Amino acid sequence: MTTTAPAAPTAPMTTDRPEHHVIVLFGATGDLARRKLLPGLFHLAKAGLLPEDYRIVGSAPAQYALSDEEFRRHAEDAVREFGLAEPTGASWQAFEDRLSFGAADPEDPQPLLTAVRAAEQAIGGSPRRLCHLAVPPAAFTSVIGMLGDTGLARDTRVIIEKPFGTDLASARALNETVHAVFDESQVFRIDHFLGKESVDNILALRFANGLFEPVWNREHISHVEIDVPETIGIEGRAAFFEETGTYRDMIVTHLFQVLGIVAMEPPASLSAQPLRDEKAKVFNALEPLDPAAVVRGQYDGYRAEPGVDPNSQTETFIALRAQVDNRRWSGVPFYLRSGKSMAKRRQTVTLHFKKPPRRMFPDDAHDGPGAERGNALVIDFDDPGWISARFLTKEPGPAMRLGAAEMTFRYADSFRRRHGLEGYERLLLDAMLGDQSLFTRSDSIERLWEISGGLLAHPRPVEPYAPGSWGPGSIDGLIAPHHWYLPDDE
Ligand code: BG6
């Protein structure tokens, strides 16, 4: 059974339009800018969501410097390869005309300063400035220092990419570096999972309906899975991945953020402070991770990838049990899993409900393995996303036999795609509007590193798994007596 939503709105997306902006893209020649940021900015421009006037100044160290014209071709190629819309016509021309490039090294920021000044003068008045640090973590400190030294940090908002630190000490040090130059109100630590439409929708699902919230707790839920298997490998990112691993790349950033939204108490409002306060309370209630409740995996063949240490102990897969020790969740385990080179790409949250007494259904076929399939709420938060309620129903016929049934809501069926923004697009827009609600806060990040301390200090050896599988076999013991459950998106 499939549900449908009311007729989709025909008006353009209603949201405030940001003030005039100069957007400075550090790491403009890098992978993230090519795959997400440049295509995303063009999509925002086409959707009429960028400021009425804006300029985008690409930047990179001098050794990667491009001319303005080269940067425009670079952006055009990126949009053609990764964008939703072709880089053609008047809208592309208008976008391309607003691109320029200024190289910057800490010892020579002059080309960037000149380009920013020219962009500001072209707009006139006092446009806002947004700096996006799409640079490797090792470069954060020097770029932030340069923004401080050159005065570019003044009245600027700054987007900082993940991973924010690699442990508690480095996250604290990075926060100190950031706060030496920026006030926290200027800082937008980005986690693009928080910009995903269906993650944001968890707030609507929970708090705008009377249907779900009353059962969203330990009285009714037996366990929760947050599952993000990926089919891709490390895609040539050996240097980054060897240093980072799946725990830092996916769990401590993306999956814990999703957990925060799933587990939080209702905030007084959706504005930044109450929303982030409630998420912080969840993280404060997270018990320190027990290394014995973590399975680290590495896919066969990883050590032979170019740039990977032949004895690498970096995990390309991780599954773990987390506990939120508060009134709502005490005793309800949260199972998190993510890995590269796995059987399928999925991004799901599954809430499994406790089984009611079913004495009157003596031939209940759903006892034993898979029993929890009877009652689950599945939220698929990959774009475009769907939500499915799984329950038991009477099979037609003279006997009272139970069969599995589901009701599914699909974004793609119910709302027009053109209204959707990708995670990065939504968050770029929010940063221009100065809305920090969906960005991570320094105290929360530090808390997540704090509960990771034991695991990072005493990681268990990685266990091998076959590419295209669901990870090492020992993950079944981790979740027992339950079972990893990924419903098919049929
Ligand atoms: C990134 C990670 O932050 O998120 C990648 O560095 C991962 O390793 C990616 O593949 C997943 O994002 P998406 O957009 O596919 O949901």
Side-chain angles (χ1 to χ4, degrees), residues 28-29 56-75 96 99-103 111 115:
T29 55
I56 298 169
V57 180
S59 188
Q63 64 187 118
Y64 304 112
L66 301 179
S67 66
D68 291 351
E69 194 45 37
E70 285 167 339
F71 181 48
R72 289 176 185 144
R73 299 291 68 82
H74 176 78
E96 171 183 296
L99 301 179
S100 63
F101 197 91

Side-chain angles (χ1 to χ4, degrees), residues 36 162 192 196 230 237 249 254 340 345 347:
K36 300 278 190 188
K162 41 126 301 205
H192 74 282
K196 286 178 187 268
E230 298 184 285
R237 295 194 300 163
D249 184 37
H254 305 319
K340 302 288 187 224
R345 173 188 164 96
Q347 303 194 333

Side-chain angles (χ1 to χ4, degrees), residues 316-479:
T316 61
F317 169 100
I318 198 151
L320 60 86
R321 185 172 60 234
Q323 303 276 355
V324 182
D325 190 19
N326 63 15
R327 276 184 181 253
R328 186 186 284 262
W329 296 114
S330 175
V332 180
F334 283 73
Y335 296 101
L336 276 50
R337 172 170 72 169
S338 186
K340 302 288 187 224
S341 280
M342 291 180 64
K344 271 190 183 173
R345 173 188 164 96
R346 296 296 298 278
Q347 303 194 333
T348 58
V349 175
T350 307
L351 295 109
H352 296 276
F353 289 86
K354 289 183 176 167
K355 189 175 155 182
R358 291 210 286 253
R359 283 181 60 87
M360 68 283 253
F361 304 106
D363 62 343
D364 182 354
H366 291 270
D367 273 334
E372 57 272 77
R373 285 175 199 220
N375 277 199
L377 186 68
V378 187
I379 301 166
D380 181 294
F381 58 89
D382 204 357
D383 278 337
W386 49 267
I387 299 169
S388 179
R390 313 270 157 141
F391 54 94
L392 295 177
T393 187
K394 179 183 172 299
E395 281 182 5
M400 176 52 91
R401 288 191 121 82
L402 298 181
E406 66 186 55
M407 284 191 294
T408 302
F409 154 78
R410 290 174 199 286
Y411 269 95
D413 295 343
S414 304
F415 293 103
R416 289 184 194 169
R417 178 75 185 119
R418 73 183 172 85
H419 291 288
L421 292 181
E422 257 216 327
Y424 265 107
E425 297 168 5
R426 162 72 194 273
L427 294 173
L428 282 166
L429 178 62
D430 282 1
M432 279 184 264
L433 291 167
D435 183 351
Q436 293 178 306
S437 309
L438 298 178
F439 293 84
T440 57
R441 210 168 60 184
S442 54
D443 55 339
S444 287
I445 299 237
E446 290 183 14
R447 173 63 188 162
L448 290 174
W449 286 121
E450 192 179 350
I451 62 147
S452 311
L455 172 64
L456 297 178
H458 308 289
R460 299 214 306 199
V462 289
E463 298 173 36
Y465 63 97
S469 72
W470 290 106
S474 60
I475 61 167
D476 291 340
L478 179 72
I479 201 170

Side-chain angles (χ1 to χ4, degrees), residues 154-336:
R154 210 171 310 122
D155 298 329
T156 287
R157 295 183 180 128
V158 64
I159 297 182
I160 302 180
E161 278 295 331
K162 41 126 301 205
F164 196 87
T166 52
D167 57 14
L168 180 57
S170 57
R172 278 189 179 146
L174 186 51
N175 273 327
E176 274 172 29
T177 305
V178 169
H179 290 147
V181 174
F182 295 101
D183 184 75
E184 182 67 19
S185 62
Q186 296 172 271
V187 182
F188 294 74
R189 294 178 197 77
I190 199 164
D191 184 311
H192 74 282
F193 273 41
L194 289 178
K196 286 178 187 268
E197 194 63 64
S198 319
V199 172
D200 208 16
N201 186 43
I202 296 173
L203 295 171
L205 182 76
R206 290 188 57 191
F207 303 131
N209 296 295
L211 186 58
F212 303 109
E213 194 54 20
V215 293
W216 204 276
N217 55 51
R218 64 194 296 266
E219 297 303 321
H220 300 277
I221 292 176
S222 67
H223 63 291
V224 179
E225 286 177 68
I226 302 178
D227 210 354
V228 183
E230 298 184 285
T231 48
I232 55 168
I234 57 166
E235 311 275 288
R237 295 194 300 163
F240 166 79
F241 212 80
E242 274 286 276
E243 287 294 303
T244 313
T246 299
Y247 182 71
R248 293 182 170 99
D249 184 37
M250 297 297 289
I251 306 285
V252 89
T253 50
H254 305 319
L255 273 71
F256 274 145
Q257 292 300 327
V258 176
L259 184 152
I261 303 263
V262 170
M264 68 162 61
E265 296 300 316
S269 83
L270 293 179
S271 56
Q273 179 157 350
L275 192 72
R276 300 200 299 177
D277 282 350
E278 291 307 333
K279 200 143 55 73
K281 286 184 206 162
V282 173
F283 297 152
N284 287 337
L286 265 178
E287 290 180 2
L289 289 178
D290 173 4
V294 177
V295 174
R296 300 172 67 240
Q298 189 185 72
Y299 64 79
D300 295 330
Y302 172 71
R303 292 177 186 180
E305 302 250 13
V308 171
D309 176 352
N311 299 311
S312 173
Q313 276 294 320
T314 300
E315 78 285 350
T316 61
F317 169 100
I318 198 151
L320 60 86
R321 185 172 60 234
Q323 303 276 355
V324 182
D325 190 19
N326 63 15
R327 276 184 181 253
R328 186 186 284 262
W329 296 114
S330 175
V332 180
F334 283 73
Y335 296 101
L336 276 50

Side-chain angles (χ1 to χ4, degrees), residues 14-33:
T14 54
T15 182
D16 294 336
R17 206 159 173 187
E19 299 162 74
H20 297 338
H21 257 80
V22 173
I23 301 164
V24 185
L25 204 54
F26 289 91
T29 55
D31 199 51
L32 182 65

